[in-house]
Each structure stands twice: as C-alpha cells, then as structure tokens.
Amino acid sequence: MNHLGTKRLETDRLVLRRFVPEDAADMYRNWASDPEVTKFLTWPTHSSVEVSQFIVQDWIGRYDSDTFYNWAIELKETQEVIGNISVVKLNEETEAADIGYCIGRNWWGKGITPEALGEVMAFLFDEVELNRVAACHDSNNPKSGRVMEKAGMKYEGVWRKAGKNNQGICDEVWHAALKDDV
C-alpha cells in the first residue's frame, strides 16, 4: 500500500479536497442539519453550526496522517461544498477500505455521489494500491445501494442486524469492488 492521505481529486463537475474551516457553514446548511439526510447515518443531525465547526476542525487536525482520507465534495460550478466522502475503515492486512458518504438533499438523484465515489475508488485502487473498496447501506435506504452500483461496486450480501444508525439496529447491505474488477 502507498498511503497518500487526502489528495485533491477532480471530475468534470466536482473538486474533492480537504476541508477548510470555512466549509463548516456549507456543511451545516447543505447536509448536516437536515434530518432527512442524516436519517440513515451513524452520527446525529447537527443542532448548530458550531457542531459542524467542531467536526471540521477535528478533520483538519487529522490531515497530517497519510492514512486519513476525508474529502469535501465541492461543486466546481458554484464552489459550494455539498457533501463529504471518506474512508471510514482501513484494513492494512487485506489492503481494503470501507467508504462512507453523504450529500445534501438538493443534489440527490443528479449522479454526483456516484461520480465522487467512482473518483475516490480510482484513487484508492490506482494510487494507494488498495485491493478492495466496499460500502454498506441500511436495507431501508436502497438508493444508497444504487449509488454504489453506479460507481461500479457489486452487491455482496446482507449482514442481518449488523449495523446501528439513527434509525436503530439495522440490516447492512454490502457492495464492493476489487482492483481486479476495474
């Protein structure tokens, strides 16, 4: 493995980059304060912009580590941060990562999240030299599974009652891609 940390990535519509303090306002406004966005996530809806500021500052402090991967999803057109995507678990032994992502409701269904996920997967396979990239979603949130499929992940199965999110204990539906798949 060749750890590089959170490196700037670009697609046609997006800049994936490190968070900066000024992103907290966009984070709060565009996704973290929306209970519909956080419904199936593992962290609570932010009650104030100060909560978002605290989280962003924590992430910024972790960018010194070359094993910390957490990108702000910025729209090139508006330079607005509309979501984030990150490695939530890294397994050195199997050269594998689990990915988590969220994006503001105003940008759902526009292909932005699969675009961001595909770019992060390419980076993790080609530059970090991972063998496997996986993600899971609550079985009651199948649209997140569609994001994974559009980005090239394959359905692997359901881990019954294996996860916990803001809805309580849930079934986790797993998707993954292998470097050999792409």
Side-chain angles (χ1 to χ4, degrees), residues 5-6 18-23 52-70:
T6 307
R18 293 179 174 200
F19 279 88
V20 295
E22 297 76 27
D23 294 330
S52 299
Q53 289 168 338
F54 178 82
I55 299 294
V56 167
Q57 278 305 130
D58 176 63
W59 290 342
I60 291 168
R62 296 173 68 193
Y63 284 131
D64 288 340
S65 170
D66 65 357
T67 61
F68 183 66
Y69 299 97
N70 186 9

Side-chain angles (χ1 to χ4, degrees), residues 80-101:
E80 185 174 14
V81 176
I82 60 168
N84 84 294
I85 185 166
S86 64
V87 171
V88 294
K89 183 179 176 188
L90 191 60
N91 186 322
E92 296 279 345
E93 270 186 62
T94 60
E95 300 174 348
D98 295 346
I99 303 288
Y101 51 79

Side-chain angles (χ1 to χ4, degrees), residues 125-176:
F125 286 137
D126 298 342
E127 295 190 48
V128 181
E129 300 173 2
L130 290 183
N131 178 54
R132 173 186 166 85
V133 176
C136 72
H137 64 88
D138 183 314
S139 61
N140 294 309
N141 186 18
K143 289 181 179 176
S144 188
R146 255 327 264 140
V147 166
M148 297 168 198
E149 290 168 2
K150 286 179 181 178
M153 290 184 171
K154 295 179 183 174
Y155 169 80
E156 291 195 327
V158 177
W159 294 4
R160 298 178 303 148
K161 304 298 181 210
K164 186 168 186 197
N165 61 29
N166 291 328
Q167 300 301 297
I169 295 172
C170 63
D171 292 348
E172 292 180 342
V173 182
W174 281 89
H175 292 74

